[in-house]
Amino acid sequence: MLAECELVLTGKVVLTDRVIEDGYVALIGGRIVAIGSGDAPKAKQTINYKNDYILPGAIDAQVHSRSQKDQEGFAWSTRSAAAGGVTTIVDMPYDDGDLICNAERLSLKAEEAKRECRVDFALYGTCHPEEGAAKVQEMVEAGACSFKFSTFGTHPERFPRIPPHTMYECFAEIAKFGLAAGVHNENHEMVTHMSGQIQAQGITDYTAHGLSRPAITETLAMAEIYEIGAVTGCSAHVVHCSVGRGYDMCAAYRQQGFDTTIEACVHYLTLNEEEHVAKLGGKAKINPPIRPKAEVEKLWAHLAAGNVTLVSTDHVSWSENRKTDPNMLKNSSGVPGLEVLYGLLLKGLHERGLPFTWAARLLAKNPAEHFRLSHRKGAIEIGKDADIVVMRHAPYRYKAGESGHNVVDWSPYEGMELPYRPVATYVRGELVFKDGDVIAEPGNGDYITPLTAKIEKA
């Protein structure tokens, strides 16, 4: 018989396969102990959310909290996360002045994150191009949930290109531990060549970025990534894809029996070149670029067909002066999005008549499985951490500077009408956000590490 629960939440409970209209979720000790419909178990506290949706907290698979020194940091990124229903962030290893490429750096970052994070966090590791796979095992032992590489060199030290032979070596080593390797998918030689042509022609307006990185720059890189994964047996993940052809490629490799996955950042599902990049310029500059409207619709078709593994933000809060140069190519690449990840995805699902169960899979279940965190995270399911967001149908226009939960007051989503908004966020059963206010203080977050990584080498 179930003991008296500490907390019961009632409302429309969204599971990965169905929505329980008259549902409840019961919590004890920060874990989910019962899920059902109708009469809820007795509890010390019951909160009736009526017609609101009770969804699993999001795991944002791609966050850059420290890409700009002294700009955002974990205290701010996880404040935005809590306000947006993101209960775990997975932070990238490309910190300004500190490539996270060994156990010492990973452990130091984890200690700093523990002091600053308001929600839970997991960490990517990476490899230095001159060291190859030498530090993979020690980073696995330090808790890395995945490894990140790039086929394009943004910066030789902070964000280096990993050439194919080195990536092959790293994938082979990572495969021994059962983790995935995620890769930024742009072919370095093609981008360098195309960018040079655009600059030589004097093109500097909003079209310059897309022209400098056409679709083939992505798909060439993806062929390299997936082939290396196929040969080494490593789980091969593309961390963002803006073109429909890339999802065709991932699905084809999966049909051949290979463990390939693919991520659609929410901006590729929301923004398009003709409308948003034309208007926003540098504030919509992202790598890979935002594509034309026709390409956006291809991505939604792939999502509906089950060909999208994860949806994330690729969140980075550059200071505004790094996003407003009239020359499109001179702006930093990336945008903030943690506060509106859930709202934007639900908007898209709502407009296309797709069930909210897709959000439960794409924002929670699939990321948890991908990062080997599903022993604790990823679903409204008995035994899992009680990571929950409550979304209410209460349309509003998003204004990044008004909430007080973002380190910057600009956003490419500024002024968009969102039909659903978060009204409560729970991390391990603890209320961290309520009715517009972030309650959690820095230091509230747990470091979540994989359970299934095989430390002993095969």
Side-chain angles (χ1 to χ4, degrees), residues 108-159:
L108 180 60
K109 181 172 181 175
E111 290 172 9
E112 293 173 354
K114 283 179 185 177
R115 294 194 294 269
E116 297 176 18
C117 281
R118 303 170 196 265
V119 303
D120 291 349
F121 66 95
L123 298 177
Y124 263 101
T126 189
C127 298
H128 193 284
E130 294 179 4
E131 294 179 332
K135 304 296 176 66
V136 166
Q137 180 170 352
E138 66 176 55
M139 283 187 284
V140 172
E141 292 171 347
C145 68
S146 187
F147 287 81
K148 171 75 182 294
F149 306 98
S150 181
T151 54
F152 177 76
T154 299
H155 186 279
E157 281 296 323
R158 191 186 76 80
F159 206 135

Side-chain angles (χ1 to χ4, degrees), residues 142-262:
C145 68
S146 187
F147 287 81
K148 171 75 182 294
F149 306 98
S150 181
T151 54
F152 177 76
T154 299
H155 186 279
E157 281 296 323
R158 191 186 76 80
F159 206 135
R161 178 201 182 204
I162 304 297
H165 58 280
T166 306
M167 193 154 65
Y168 174 87
E169 174 191 346
C170 292
F171 272 44
E173 183 71 4
I174 293 163
K176 297 174 183 178
F177 304 103
L179 295 179
V183 188
H184 178 113
N185 50 307
E186 292 182 297
N187 180 276
H188 185 88
E189 289 78 12
M190 280 289 289
V191 171
T192 301
H193 174 75
M194 298 299 292
S195 296
Q197 284 194 329
I198 297 306
Q199 291 177 49
Q201 294 172 40
I203 301 173
T204 61
D205 68 358
Y206 77 92
T207 65
H209 189 52
L211 291 170
S212 72
R213 286 168 147 86
I216 193 171
T217 61
E218 287 192 59
T219 53
L220 277 177
M222 291 175 70
E224 178 182 310
I225 295 159
Y226 286 150
E227 276 299 299
I228 293 174
V231 173
T232 60
C234 186
S235 301
H237 180 64
V238 167
V239 300
H240 37 44
C241 181
S242 69
V243 294
R245 172 66 182 147
Y247 295 86
D248 292 329
M249 293 173 68
C250 182
Y253 274 89
R254 290 192 71 82
Q255 288 169 3
Q256 295 169 38
F258 299 112
D259 185 6
T260 54
T261 51
I262 191 165

Side-chain angles (χ1 to χ4, degrees), residues 283 320 399-402 406-411 414:
K283 290 183 178 178
E320 193 165 7
K399 296 190 177 181
E402 289 189 356
N406 305 292
V407 73
V408 294
D409 60 6
W410 68 269
S411 168
E414 187 78 15

Side-chain angles (χ1 to χ4, degrees), residues 154 203 246 255 278 314 321 340 351 358 390 392:
T154 299
I203 301 173
Q255 288 169 3
D314 200 2
N321 65 303
V340 284
E351 290 174 350
W358 277 113
V390 181
R392 178 171 297 163

Side-chain angles (χ1 to χ4, degrees), residues 32-111:
I32 297 169
V33 296
I35 305 159
S37 61
D39 294 335
K42 292 183 179 179
K44 295 176 182 176
Q45 182 183 18
T46 297
I47 302 175
N48 183 5
Y49 284 110
K50 299 178 183 178
N51 291 319
D52 298 338
Y53 287 94
I54 297 173
L55 295 118
I59 300 170
D60 192 338
Q62 195 167 175
V63 176
H64 297 262
S65 297
R66 307 199 302 183
S67 281
Q68 183 177 346
K69 209 169 195 62
D70 301 323
Q71 169 65 10
E72 184 171 41
F74 288 111
W76 273 109
S77 68
T78 57
R79 182 170 179 166
S80 297
V86 176
T87 51
T88 302
I89 66 165
V90 183
D91 208 75
M92 286 291 175
Y94 302 118
D95 298 346
D96 192 356
D98 191 16
L99 187 70
I100 308 302
C101 58
N102 58 48
E104 181 182 6
R105 293 183 181 185
L106 186 74
S107 297
L108 180 60
K109 181 172 181 175
E111 290 172 9

